[in-house]
Amino acid sequence: MDKLHNIFNSIMEDTDKIIKESQYAENPLAILFRTVLEEQKDTCENLIEVLQRKEQDFKTYKKDLSILYHDDSVADSTFRAWGRAITWQDENNAQHVNDLDLLFQRIKKSLKEGAKELEVQFGPEKIKYVVPELYLPKTKREGGK
């Protein structure tokens, strides 16, 4: 469970960085992805709290995990739309968008690591309807490791 704690803590920290580094963007898309990221950050806090209580029942994690992975999907696509619009309007913003994009990529990587760890701890049958397939490790049958 310590590994999951570290993963969710990393996601929470990166999420907080994105929120802070985009706080002055008033574009409706930026407001939308920040709102979703706020929920993602709160969800990570909830998951960390549950992990600290050493909960072993997957039902305790299920709702928050669904929210976390869904939020990443929504925030990422909204961020990409915002990034295209901002860069198109003013190329000087490209570096800022790229810096934020690196944080989003790091979050996605952490979520994939989390999915792998969840699969190890709870089994693929329990997590397959909670964690979207995009984040799940590929099985040997699918050409993965």
Side-chain angles (χ1 to χ4, degrees):
M1 295 293 184
D2 287 338
K3 191 170 184 177
L4 283 175
H5 182 277
N6 293 339
I7 290 169
F8 295 138
N9 194 54
S10 172
I11 293 168
M12 186 176 66
E13 288 173 356
D14 287 341
T15 300
D16 192 48
K17 285 179 190 174
I18 294 170
I19 292 167
K20 287 178 180 172
E21 291 181 22
S22 65
Q23 67 184 342
Y24 299 110
E26 294 300 321
N27 179 300
L29 290 169
I31 293 168
L32 180 59
F33 79 72
R34 273 197 314 270
T35 302
V36 174
L37 288 175
E38 288 287 350
E39 181 181 57
Q40 181 172 303
K41 182 180 163 190
D42 293 344
T43 302
C44 283
E45 289 172 357
N46 292 344
L47 286 165
I48 290 168
E49 185 180 306
V50 171
L51 286 167
Q52 288 172 338
R53 290 194 315 253
K54 308 275 189 223
E55 290 284 338
Q56 298 296 322
D57 186 11
F58 185 70
K59 290 178 185 176
T60 311
Y61 302 94
K62 194 174 182 176
K63 181 180 176 188
D64 283 332
L65 287 171
S66 291
I67 291 169
L68 179 65
Y69 282 93
H70 179 71
D71 282 350
D72 179 67
S73 175
V74 172
D76 188 63
S77 64
T78 308
F79 165 75
R80 299 213 176 284
W82 172 78
R84 284 189 302 273
I86 286 299
T87 304
W88 179 75
Q89 291 171 357
D90 183 1
E91 288 184 19
N92 294 330
N93 289 321
Q95 185 57 48
H96 181 63
V97 171
N98 286 339
D99 292 344
L100 293 177
D101 184 47
L102 291 174
L103 290 169
F104 269 100
Q105 288 177 32
R106 218 161 61 188
I107 290 170
K108 186 153 317 280
K109 182 180 178 195
S110 294
L111 285 167
K112 286 181 179 184
E113 287 175 26
K116 189 175 185 179
E117 186 63 24
L118 288 165
E119 187 175 69
V120 167
Q121 290 186 22
F122 297 108
E125 287 301 311
K126 283 193 177 178
I127 69 163
K128 73 179 178 182
Y129 297 113
V130 176
V131 179
E133 194 170 321
L134 167 70
Y135 300 93
L136 293 173
K138 290 186 175 186
T139 62
K140 289 181 182 176
R141 179 180 47 80
E142 296 167 325
K145 293 182 180 181

